[in-house]
Amino acid sequence: MTGHISRRKLLAAAVAVPVLMGTAAACGDDEGGDDGNVELSVFWWGAEARAALTEKALALYTSKHPTVTFKKTWQANQGYFDKLATLTAGGNPPDLFQIDDNYIAEYASRNVTLDLTPYKDDGRLDVSKFPESLWKYGEVDGKLAGLAFGENTQGLVFNKSLLDKFQLPAPTTGMTWEQHIAWAVTVSKTAKVPGTMDPSGSYQAFWVWLRQQGKDLYNGKELGFTAQDVTAWFELWKGARDKGATPPADVIHEGNVTDISKQLVVTGKAATSWVWANQMPELKKNTKDELGVVAFPGDPSAQWARASMYFSVFRGSKHKDTAVDVANFLANDPEAGKILGTDRGLPSNLDVRKVVADSVTDPAMKQSIAVEAELVPKFGPAPAVPLPGHSKVKTELVKAAEEAQYGRQTPAQAAEAYVTAAKSAIGQG
């Protein structure tokens, strides 16, 4: 037996911390030092570019609020939530921390996050310029667990240089899944590069496809799909693989496990990758080729204004009022918005978004903004925030898809195994 402790066990241990600390913190105003100064701990994930921008925006806050300084910690995405769970369980959680929809329900259900509803209601947290569906995507069981810190949606990124070289048409928003696969077959035959990454293990793609079938990833506290739905999804992509539209299983595996900087569309191993639209700048840094981006195939109303990530406040923080004010500043101050740009997605505040859009010079950022602007009128309603256990639901989809991709199981067998694992992940009996 090793000494390793799972993130879930660490998070479970963290429950006691906010319960013990939250009572004292809730009784009064923020507790500053003897000199009235406050040092606020802030934790986020991201690359060095995000770190530099965030630190600059926090310095702007300090310039306007000299009694507030920051203890800043950041790291790459990998291992971030293990570290956050460790800090929380160890009684040393950050006052303000970045989180996404993979984990927000889990942290909220364990009473780690502060309910921001009272701050929203009295105006200390201003969401009046946010799209309503966007800020509501931070609600968990009627409590506002996090402030949406950017709008994003799914994006099919393609290698425009490759297509132009062989005089091939670009994919378009609104093409059906079957049309996309047929297009990818043509690319594979003509350019000798697989036309599309196989997204059968991508929860983003599966989720959009489900919504186009009138279903959803979750339905209340249960899965919103059946083994028959998953079988149909896996069969769709088995057909694509059999036609040569995708790379072989070993290369698909690379696309499944790698980070954004090594997606197949930039390593030259596929003409398209299935990502989030705001990741265009990071992709572009890793290729000399020109890239384009459109919506996922099918009816674009299945996509929605997703909160790319949130800032949440620790419920037991001694400086919770200050932490909320900092989050409010970063989201709503135009000067801070210009600093942060679109690194975390399009700014949630629509006025700030316009300021940022007008000031952007990066062509890849302009593409992200343009595709989002094109799709906003077509978006459907946002789904509920994913259930606790969602991160496991995602990883189990990759595992099941790969069983089918490698031919170790039939699509039906892999689908049955996936539904069983996904039900277990969310505690569905």
Side-chain angles (χ1 to χ4, degrees):
M1 183 175 180
T2 69
H4 176 72
I5 301 174
S6 73
R7 181 198 57 76
R8 185 175 289 277
K9 288 181 179 178
L10 287 167
L11 184 53
V15 178
V17 180
V19 169
L20 290 172
M21 299 181 65
T23 304
C27 293
D29 296 327
D30 282 12
E31 297 177 19
D34 293 338
D35 54 3
N37 292 332
V38 169
E39 183 184 57
L40 199 75
S41 55
V42 187
F43 186 36
W44 69 90
W45 76 82
E48 290 184 8
R50 176 176 296 169
L53 296 173
T54 306
E55 290 175 358
K56 187 175 179 182
L58 292 174
L60 177 65
Y61 183 90
T62 296
S63 73
K64 298 186 178 188
H65 306 84
T67 60
V68 180
T69 55
F70 297 97
K71 178 184 178 182
K72 303 177 288 287
T73 310
W74 66 277
Q75 66 175 63
N77 195 330
Q78 187 173 8
Y80 173 85
F81 284 99
D82 290 326
K83 178 69 175 294
L84 181 60
T86 302
L87 290 170
T88 307
N92 188 33
D95 298 296
L96 183 66
F97 55 93
Q98 191 172 290
I99 198 165
D100 65 13
D101 62 2
N102 296 314
Y103 290 98
I104 192 169
E106 193 164 330
Y107 274 73
S109 67
R110 295 181 184 275
N111 291 319
V112 176
T113 56
L114 178 69
D115 180 11
L116 302 175
T117 306
Y119 294 88
K120 175 187 71 69
D121 290 346
D122 68 16
R124 285 178 290 172
L125 187 64
D126 184 9
V127 297
S128 63
K129 299 293 185 180
F130 287 34
E132 184 178 33
S133 62
L134 185 61
W135 71 256
K136 281 191 171 182
Y137 196 58
E139 287 187 334
V140 180
D141 295 329
K143 296 180 178 180
L144 189 58
L147 179 67
F149 224 79
E151 179 181 299
N152 200 9
T153 197
Q154 295 87 350
L156 179 68
V157 176
F158 59 91
N159 186 326
K160 188 174 185 303
S161 295
L162 177 71
L163 300 179
D164 288 348
K165 178 180 177 181
F166 290 94
Q167 297 182 315
L168 292 165
T172 57
T173 290
M175 68 191 327
T176 66
W177 293 88
E178 291 75 16
Q179 286 171 337
H180 172 73
I181 290 169
W183 169 87
V185 170
T186 300
V187 173
S188 298
K189 290 178 177 177
T190 305
K192 309 304 179 188
V193 173
T196 182
M197 165 62 181
D198 177 335
S200 50
S202 163
Y203 85 99
Q204 302 103 308
F206 179 51
W207 199 347
V208 168
W209 180 84
L210 276 175
R211 283 166 63 93
Q212 290 164 348
Q213 318 308 310
K215 298 198 172 186
D216 219 316
L217 200 60
Y218 301 106
N219 181 16
K221 299 296 183 182
E222 298 183 345
L223 297 180
F225 56 88
T226 66
Q228 288 74 24
D229 296 318
V230 185
T231 300
W233 174 245
F234 285 172
E235 287 281 8
L236 176 69
W237 289 102
K238 180 181 185 302
R241 292 191 299 276
D242 291 347
K243 294 173 184 175
T246 78
D250 285 344
V251 177
I252 297 168
H253 174 71
E254 287 181 37
N256 286 336
V257 301
T258 193
D259 63 31
I260 190 64
S261 66
K262 297 175 184 175
Q263 287 298 313
L264 302 188
V265 75
V266 297
T267 60
K269 296 182 178 181
T272 64
S273 284
W274 307 72
V275 296
W276 298 107
N278 76 315
Q279 293 174 314
M280 279 289 288
E282 194 64 30
L283 286 168
K284 188 63 189 77
K285 289 176 188 173
N286 293 281
T287 179
K288 295 179 180 178
D289 290 344
E290 184 181 353
L291 303 178
V293 58
V294 294
F296 280 10
D299 186 346
S301 69
Q303 297 188 208
W304 66 94
R306 174 186 181 254
S308 50
M309 58 195 69
Y310 313 82
F311 269 111
S312 290
V313 176
F314 174 53
R315 192 168 73 93
S317 170
K318 295 180 180 180
H319 311 301
K320 62 184 187 304
D321 291 350
T322 302
V324 172
D325 191 62
V326 171
N328 185 68
F329 174 82
L330 294 177
N332 291 309
D333 183 85
E335 195 175 350
K338 288 176 72 173
I339 292 171
L340 296 170
T342 61
D343 183 76
R344 288 180 170 89
L346 297 189
S348 298
N349 181 309
L350 294 176
D351 289 349
V352 174
R353 185 182 301 184
K354 186 177 187 312
V355 169
V356 171
D358 290 345
S359 65
V360 163
T361 57
D362 182 340
M365 278 192 185
K366 283 183 177 292
Q367 284 181 300
S368 294
I369 292 170
V371 73
E372 192 87 11
E374 176 200 342
L375 291 176
V376 163
K378 302 174 184 176
F379 280 152
V385 172
L387 296 173
H390 176 62
S391 58
K392 182 74 170 173
V393 171
K394 286 172 50 183
T395 57
E396 289 294 340
L397 180 61
V398 174
K399 288 166 59 177
E402 291 196 347
E403 289 298 299
Q405 288 159 4
Y406 279 99
R408 294 189 289 253
Q409 292 183 337
T410 66
Q413 290 169 335
E416 289 284 355
Y418 173 59
V419 169
T420 298
K423 284 182 176 179
S424 176
I426 63 171
Q428 180 181 343

